[in-house]
Amino acid sequence: MLTKAVSTTSGPVTGVGQNGISAFKGVPYATARRFAKAVPPKAWTEPRQCTDYGAYAPQPGHLDHADEPACLNLNIWAPAAIDRPLPVLFFIHGGAFVTGGGADYDGGFLAKHGPAVIVTINYRLGPLGFLQLHRHGLGEANNLAISDAFAALDWVHANIANFGGDPNAITLSGQSAGASMVIALATLPQAKGKFIRVHALSAPGRNIMSADHADEVARRVLDELELARDPAAITTVPLPKLFAAVERVGRMIADETDTGTVFGPVLDGTVIAREPRDVFADGSLRDIPLWLGSCRDEMVMFLKSTPPAAMIRTTERQVRATFGDAGWERLLSCYRGTARPDEDPYEALLSDAFWHRPMADLARSHAAAGGAVWLSRFDHRPTLEPFLSQGPTHGADNACFWAHLPDFIDRPILKRKGGPMAPADIDVAARFQTSLLRFVTSGRPDVAEAWPQFDLAREPLAIFGQPFHIVPLNEGVRSRLWTELSASNNDKKMREAG
């Protein structure tokens, strides 16, 4: 049944009520011309029915019928009966900055069991959100996706009270590319005061791109489209042609550059003026509780893709560049000698290099600056593909994050079916969701005795598995070898500098 109309800064909206939850889907928070900054949507006066998911961002496989301006919308789930302002979870989806959408994440279960208000957003993807064209005559075209995310956060902060949410209790949450977006968004000066907590799952090791590299990507895309002399014409290039050019450039970038990265938040000096990790390290966000998580076998999914993802080659290349070929071989030998029976040592090394170690370093920086931080790893294998065959690889925690116990939910954009959960799935997912909702509500994911706050002496790492348990991050021969190689590399740099 339709809900009572709720007023917003753009006009009234109605959603649908079912099973004690009110859902508002496809609510416009902004609109934008191609390669221009987002602006508020055109206002309306009659109640707007927001009962179905809105258009999601153009992306590979969804280009022919894409509605670019209409993709800037969000979804809200809230308990139907609210007796006090509820904490808000503001979630940014992942998808390598080129795929996905808020429609893949039904927040009804979390809203009911929080209780909390759950928000998922769409933002511009691929070239439409990340191609840096401001140095090529399109002055606004830099970090558009980040600007979209901020516009959504700004809208939520201004309107969420009318949906039962507390605008002063917003937790920024994201997974994978969305985690990179969250980490960058949290450091923007204009976002200060509009959130109070940060939850980031599987943030890539390098979650910020240099302006020079982003400019090189843009130049190559313009060359591929034969628009070097008329860059403004890219605003009218048909989407299939634009995305095909980007795909070709992406293949070249993967083979010819050190990072292999095509898209992501960019240190452009204006929208993102400082390296986000430096902002955490200097204590600017010390008052913001931080939960950082990853999956045990992050890289399995990317190794098994056809062809293997570019990050496989680039991560090995980066480790070799940092520690030399001899250092790489020492690491690989160590991983082979300490591998579990079901573990691929090469994958484990790459997972540590690209995912686990950078997140641990961010945790150390935040803790050293006086911030409260919790670090976790998801070791459970959900009985759902691709995890059933690949183990707790990238996204395994996300599947349990959004589950409607006792079922995994469908992911319509990714075209992944849900299904019934096994008892172990329910056990681990319930613990994960309880920790998440406690973090959203109180700023800590568990009682101190069960999950200690991260500190530089003990470095506790929470393991979501059966059973849930805590291990020291800084023990083991692998950790000691990384520390030894890093110290040797730092000494070398100091000698060269002096």
Side-chain angles (χ1 to χ4, degrees), residues 448 468 498:
F468 174 88

Side-chain angles (χ1 to χ4, degrees), residues 337-353:
T338 56
R340 303 183 314 271
D342 62 341
E343 182 179 55
D344 178 345
Y346 181 68
E347 178 277 325
L349 196 169
L350 295 180
S351 287
D352 279 352

